[in-house]
Amino acid sequence: RELHDTVAQDLNAVSMQLELARNSARSGQIEPAQGHLASAHTIVRHCLTEARESIWNMRSHILERTDLPGALQTVAEQLSAGRGCEIRTRVLGRPRRLAPAIENILLRIGQEAISNALKHAQPSRIELELTFEEPSVRLLVRNDGAPFNPESAATAT
């Protein structure tokens, strides 16, 4: 509900800024139009940040139906479907349920790591390793794709 209200308000503000920009442009006033477009851009970026944070904090429905290893496997299969990438999930130690917030965070981290690997490294294989120890848990994600190059990433921004 909070996400809906925030996003709706932000989208209304963007709509108003775009309408003002259009009216300014029609009357030949370029500088005010640019200001309205800049405001709309700022609002959209804020809206994206808020939406990401809200979504990140929501508990995944997958975790309501299965445990963390099963949820990671399900997400991996969904993300890799049709991409020709084999994803293997390995569980070490004795699996146990964790606090809901921790399970959700680990699932989101795994999801993001898989997504980034598929998007940027084009791997043929991704391995997820979930290790349960007392009192900790560790998630390791490896792939055989192109390695990350921090130098090229810095020049891409």
Side-chain angles (χ1 to χ4, degrees), residues 72 105-107 109-111 113 128-131 137-141:
L72 283 166
I105 288 168
L106 286 170
L107 177 62
I109 290 169
Q111 182 178 14
L128 300 169
E129 186 177 281
L130 190 59
T131 304
V137 63
R138 180 179 61 232
L139 174 63
L140 179 63
V141 181

Side-chain angles (χ1 to χ4, degrees), residues 72 76 87-89 106-118 123 125-130 138-144:
L72 283 166
I87 299 184
R88 291 191 180 172
T89 303
L106 286 170
L107 177 62
R108 299 290 185 202
I109 290 169
Q111 182 178 14
E112 188 70 15
I114 294 165
S115 180
N116 284 341
L118 291 168
R125 184 176 181 169
I126 296 175
E127 296 176 4
L128 300 169
E129 186 177 281
L130 190 59
R138 180 179 61 232
L139 174 63
L140 179 63
V141 181
R142 289 185 220 126
N143 72 78
D144 66 354

Side-chain angles (χ1 to χ4, degrees), residues 20-34:
L20 290 168
R22 182 174 61 185
N23 292 341
S24 295
R26 281 183 180 159
S27 64
Q29 299 174 342
I30 300 302
E31 285 190 41
Q34 289 176 336

Side-chain angles (χ1 to χ4, degrees), residues 61-127:
H61 293 292
I62 297 170
L63 287 168
E64 293 173 8
R65 295 187 303 266
T66 187
D67 61 1
L68 182 58
L72 283 166
Q73 184 64 38
T74 299
V75 166
E77 289 169 1
Q78 290 171 349
L79 289 172
S80 66
R83 292 181 180 247
C85 180
E86 175 187 5
I87 299 184
R88 291 191 180 172
T89 303
R90 189 166 82 158
V91 179
L92 302 173
R94 200 164 130 210
R96 66 184 183 281
R97 292 308 300 235
L98 305 168
I102 293 172
E103 284 187 341
N104 197 54
I105 288 168
L106 286 170
L107 177 62
R108 299 290 185 202
I109 290 169
Q111 182 178 14
E112 188 70 15
I114 294 165
S115 180
N116 284 341
L118 291 168
K119 182 177 180 182
H120 301 292
Q122 289 83 40
S124 61
R125 184 176 181 169
I126 296 175
E127 296 176 4

